């Protein structure tokens, strides 16, 4: 039977929020290693608070936009190395989506971070999914689903269990302008729409929920259909 291919985009704020990080990362690593016996996995790590620290400090020191972007990318790659260490995966972090897809194989977990300025790790995940013809992208976030507004600020925000990729795109752009939503990157959505890649958005700190998304089981989060 053909083994499914999955790209996991895990936010830096999920991976290292500064709250029992080693405990969570060990559980995450164990789950991904177990899931890799069933599906082929590439993990793309975001930068989170580490990236924010370097970019904010760099800005105060007079760094250019390009320099700040490179600091942020460096932070994502550090986070990727941390997760790779916990899984016993290669710490030689791929620099491009094509390289990550080329290294990916059944049972071989590839972990990476950002690639070039202007491409968020969500977009990179969609690019990797395209390169390896993945079945879905799993977006592990700090919220449990897609909402009409930030549920931490708007208690009346509508929660969505299912959306089309077009509807997700409308939510991302609605009222806020491109790139202002934290749900999923606009470029990543555009790629997923063009390449017909489904996106599953789940609470990344809920290990069982994340496992279900990776394995293609029913989830409590949001299933975004590209078809």
């Amino acid at each position: 039977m053909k083994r499914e291919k999955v790209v996991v985009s895990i936010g830096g704020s999920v991976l290292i929020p500064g709250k029992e990080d080693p405990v969570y990362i060990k559980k995450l690593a164990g789950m991904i290693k177990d899931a890799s016996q069933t599906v082929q996995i590439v993990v793309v790590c975001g930068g989170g608070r580490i990236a924010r620290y370097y970019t904010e400090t760099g800005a105060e020191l007079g760094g250019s936009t390009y320099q700040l972007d490179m600091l942020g990318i460096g932070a994502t790659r550090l986070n990727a190395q941390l997760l790779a260490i916990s899984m016993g995966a290669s710490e030689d972090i791929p620099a491009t989506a094509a390289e990550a897809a080329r290294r990916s194989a059944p049972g071989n977990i590839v972990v990476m971070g950002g690639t070039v300025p202007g491409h968020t790790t969500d977009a990179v995940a969609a690019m990797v999914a395209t390169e390896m013809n993945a079945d879905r992208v799993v977006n592990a976030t700090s919220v449990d689903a897609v909402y009409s507004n930030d549920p931490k600020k708007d208690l009346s925000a509508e929660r969505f269990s299912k959306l089309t990729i077009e509807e997700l795109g409308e939510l991302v752009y609605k009222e806020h302008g491109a790139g202002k939503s934290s749900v999923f990157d606009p470029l990543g959505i555009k790629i997923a729409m063009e390449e017909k890649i489904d996106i599953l958005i789940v609470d990344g700190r809920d290990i069982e929920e994340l496992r279900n998304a990776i394995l293609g089981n029913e989830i409590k989060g949001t299933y975004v259909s590209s078809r």
Side-chain angles (χ1 to χ4, degrees), residues 44-111:
V44 184
C45 298
R49 64 189 179 92
I50 303 298
R52 283 192 296 275
Y53 170 81
Y54 276 98
T55 55
E56 289 170 4
T57 304
E60 290 183 24
L61 295 172
S64 66
T65 300
Y66 175 80
Q67 288 171 324
L68 300 182
D69 281 346
M70 293 307 294
L71 284 173
I73 290 168
T76 68
R77 293 169 68 83
L78 276 175
N79 289 346
Q81 285 181 303
L82 194 64
L83 182 58
I85 287 171
S86 71
M87 291 192 295
S90 173
E91 297 165 53
D92 180 16
I93 305 302
T96 67
E99 183 182 352
R102 191 164 55 247
R103 290 192 198 177
S104 181
N108 179 44
I109 304 164
V110 177
V111 187

Side-chain angles (χ1 to χ4, degrees), residues 139-155:
N139 191 29
T141 73
S142 56
V143 292
D144 63 350
V146 176
Y147 289 79
S148 57
N149 286 301
D150 185 344
K152 296 174 184 176
K153 298 177 181 177
D154 181 2
L155 297 180

Side-chain angles (χ1 to χ4, degrees), residues 19 40 68 72-73 80 113 124 131 133 135 140 153 161-162 177-179:
K19 183 180 180 181
Q40 188 172 323
L68 300 182
I73 290 168
V124 171
E131 291 283 348
N133 194 28
D135 293 273
K153 298 177 181 177
S161 59
K162 291 184 180 180

Side-chain angles (χ1 to χ4, degrees), residues 149-224:
N149 286 301
D150 185 344
K152 296 174 184 176
K153 298 177 181 177
D154 181 2
L155 297 180
S156 65
E158 182 181 359
R159 187 181 190 279
F160 301 101
S161 59
K162 291 184 180 180
L163 290 168
T164 65
I165 193 75
E166 291 81 9
E167 288 170 336
L168 179 62
E170 289 171 6
L171 281 172
V172 167
Y173 283 96
K174 185 190 70 173
E175 296 178 359
H176 305 292
K180 296 296 179 64
S181 172
S182 60
V183 178
F184 202 81
D185 173 74
L187 176 57
I189 291 174
K190 182 176 182 290
I191 294 169
M193 194 180 299
E194 291 173 351
E195 301 296 330
K196 300 290 188 290
I197 301 167
D198 293 344
I199 303 172
L200 282 66
I201 298 175
V202 298
D203 178 354
R205 281 255 157 173
D206 184 336
I207 295 292
E208 192 56 34
E209 169 80 338
L210 185 51
R211 180 202 301 272
N212 284 331
I214 291 172
L215 295 178
N217 298 332
E218 186 175 343
I219 59 170
K220 295 177 287 186
T222 305
Y223 181 89
V224 182

